[in-house]
Amino acid sequence: MSEVSERQKQEYNEYVKKVTPTHNLWVQMLKAFIVGGAICCVGQFILNTAGNMGLDKQTAGSWCSLILVFVSAFLTGLGLYSRLTKWGGAGALVPITGFANSVAACAVEYSVEGQVFGIGCKIFTIAGPVILYGVLSSWVLGLIYWGGKMLGMM
């Protein structure tokens, strides 16, 4: 009985090895660098264009964020952003476009369940924890900073 069990384990391990995808770390990092760099170049182009149109730095930055989020959500709706993230990995997931994609992807996926119980309930499935812990950590750090100022440490 143990010979059969041992043979099954060996066959299973061979099967897992066969179907598990292998990735070259250096190639994955290069792809992430290319995609992330391209997104940043597009963002810098938007900033420069807005600045050349006479907008101040803060307004140009706001327009840049708005355009990048819109394009990301639009490409997510068309199903193109998922292809980009599959190829570019973290290069497409880390910038603001990745955050917009995480929100839009949930909205697209659950839209068949309706406006309230689909989109309304599930839109922040992935982005919710990021927002929650981002706000919480900034609140805690703000308290620490305030306390340091009150005690003359900062």
Side-chain angles (χ1 to χ4, degrees):
M1 188 91 156
S2 70
E3 284 183 34
V4 173
S5 155
E6 195 64 38
R7 187 170 48 92
Q8 285 177 339
K9 285 181 186 179
Q10 185 178 4
E11 288 175 2
Y12 177 74
N13 287 336
E14 289 173 11
Y15 171 75
V16 168
K17 189 182 253 186
K18 184 176 129 185
V19 298
T20 302
T22 57
H23 301 285
N24 183 332
L25 178 63
W26 294 102
V27 171
Q28 291 299 104
M29 288 192 303
L30 179 63
K31 288 178 179 180
F33 179 77
I34 291 169
V35 171
I39 291 170
C40 292
C41 286
V42 168
Q44 190 62 51
F45 175 77
I46 295 168
L47 278 174
N48 292 347
T49 303
N52 291 337
M53 291 172 62
L55 298 176
D56 63 286
K57 203 172 192 176
Q58 187 174 6
T59 306
S62 297
W63 274 103
C64 178
S65 297
L66 180 76
I67 291 169
L68 287 174
V69 166
F70 172 76
V71 169
S72 173
F74 185 73
L75 291 176
T76 299
L78 295 176
L80 299 175
Y81 203 87
S82 61
R83 290 186 198 172
L84 183 65
T85 57
K86 189 171 187 173
W87 189 82
L93 293 175
V94 171
I96 190 171
T97 54
F99 184 76
N101 169 258
S102 70
V103 173
C106 290
V108 169
E109 183 178 350
Y110 292 102
S111 64
V112 295
E113 295 181 24
Q115 294 289 319
V116 176
F117 293 113
I119 296 172
C121 292
K122 301 289 188 174
I123 194 165
F124 290 113
T125 301
I126 295 172
V130 175
I131 295 169
L132 171 69
Y133 291 112
V135 170
L136 181 66
S137 62
S138 58
W139 184 78
V140 169
L141 291 173
L143 280 178
I144 292 170
Y145 180 76
W146 177 74
K149 287 283 258 188
M150 296 299 277
L151 296 172
M153 299 168 69
M154 297 189 190

